[in-house]
Amino acid sequence: MRIHRLIFREHLQRLGKPGLCGAALIVLAFAHAVLGLLPAWLALEQLSERTALQSAQLARIERGDEAPPVASGQQLDDFRRNLPAQLDATSTIDRIYALANGERLSLARGEYALGVDTRTRLARYQIVLPVRGSYPQLRRFLHALLAEVPALVLEDLDFQRKQISETELEGRIRLTLYLSR
């Protein structure tokens, strides 16, 4: 139903100045509730949910069900402690060759380069290994290698067949072994 302008003006005149001020205050109160109080109420709800979650986590930590969070500096120290020492590099390389022998892969003599990062106090042992074997052998070798030596990073793989009918692949694997100093 459409209200004409004249009828609207008559209603406004009937309300008078006190009625208009009251209507304006109602509109302002509604705008304040929607624009000011509602976001604050939602933020309060999020804070109370977060507080409840953190209280539950604290209770789990006190019961021993969950490990307490560690500081970032402590995480870095734990990371360095779990890396093999620089003197243990030869035993780790022996493990690489033992895993290759377990898969009956032929690893030719590789190239090894030691790099030291003074800022992080870590040593990087870059290893390039020429390899020859079937695809399933190479895949099992790489999975076993990365599972057994977590400080080892697979950087590059390069495999090829001389002819399409061959089952054996020839290629090279580039690895980086991170060591603590």
Side-chain angles (χ1 to χ4, degrees), residues 124-172:
R124 285 189 319 239
Y125 210 44
Q126 293 182 331
I127 306 165
V128 178
L129 295 172
V131 65
R132 182 177 173 88
S134 69
Y135 177 77
Q137 287 175 319
L138 291 169
R139 189 175 174 108
R140 284 190 305 264
F141 167 67
L142 291 173
H143 280 288
L145 184 64
L146 295 175
E148 191 168 322
V149 186
L152 194 65
V153 176
L154 178 63
E155 288 193 7
D156 188 32
L157 293 172
D158 182 28
F159 297 132
Q160 61 183 343
R161 291 184 194 173
K162 296 217 181 208
Q163 294 180 355
I164 198 153
S165 61
E166 287 185 21
T167 59
E168 296 225 338
L169 300 170
E170 287 185 19
R172 67 180 179 86

Side-chain angles (χ1 to χ4, degrees), residues 2-175:
R2 192 170 171 191
I3 300 177
H4 294 299
R5 222 182 294 165
L6 185 59
I7 296 172
F8 182 68
R9 283 186 182 173
E10 283 179 9
H11 286 296
L12 287 178
Q13 282 179 352
R14 200 176 309 151
L15 284 174
K17 288 185 180 180
L20 287 176
C21 288
L25 285 175
I26 289 173
V27 169
L28 284 174
F30 182 73
H32 176 68
V34 169
L35 299 175
L37 297 178
L38 185 63
W41 181 72
L42 292 174
L44 181 64
E45 287 293 319
Q46 288 177 346
L47 283 174
S48 63
E49 287 177 15
R50 196 176 336 158
T51 302
L53 288 174
Q54 288 178 352
S55 297
Q57 182 183 15
L58 183 62
R60 286 192 304 269
I61 289 171
E62 288 175 352
R63 283 193 312 258
D65 296 340
E66 188 176 322
V70 291
S72 61
Q74 186 179 359
Q75 286 178 337
L76 187 58
D77 291 339
D78 290 343
F79 172 73
R80 285 190 183 122
R81 226 182 345 266
N82 289 332
L83 288 177
Q86 189 172 351
L87 300 174
D88 297 333
T90 55
S91 64
T92 306
I93 292 172
D94 289 341
R95 245 192 290 169
I96 293 171
Y97 280 94
L99 286 171
N101 286 336
E103 287 297 327
R104 289 180 275 159
L105 286 174
S106 64
L107 292 179
R109 186 169 207 158
E111 301 171 17
Y112 305 95
L114 180 65
V116 177
D117 189 0
T118 56
R119 189 172 48 96
T120 60
R121 292 179 285 151
L122 294 176
R124 285 189 319 239
Y125 210 44
Q126 293 182 331
I127 306 165
V128 178
L129 295 172
V131 65
R132 182 177 173 88
S134 69
Y135 177 77
Q137 287 175 319
L138 291 169
R139 189 175 174 108
R140 284 190 305 264
F141 167 67
L142 291 173
H143 280 288
L145 184 64
L146 295 175
E148 191 168 322
V149 186
L152 194 65
V153 176
L154 178 63
E155 288 193 7
D156 188 32
L157 293 172
D158 182 28
F159 297 132
Q160 61 183 343
R161 291 184 194 173
K162 296 217 181 208
Q163 294 180 355
I164 198 153
S165 61
E166 287 185 21
T167 59
E168 296 225 338
L169 300 170
E170 287 185 19
R172 67 180 179 86
I173 302 171
R174 191 173 70 195
L175 306 163

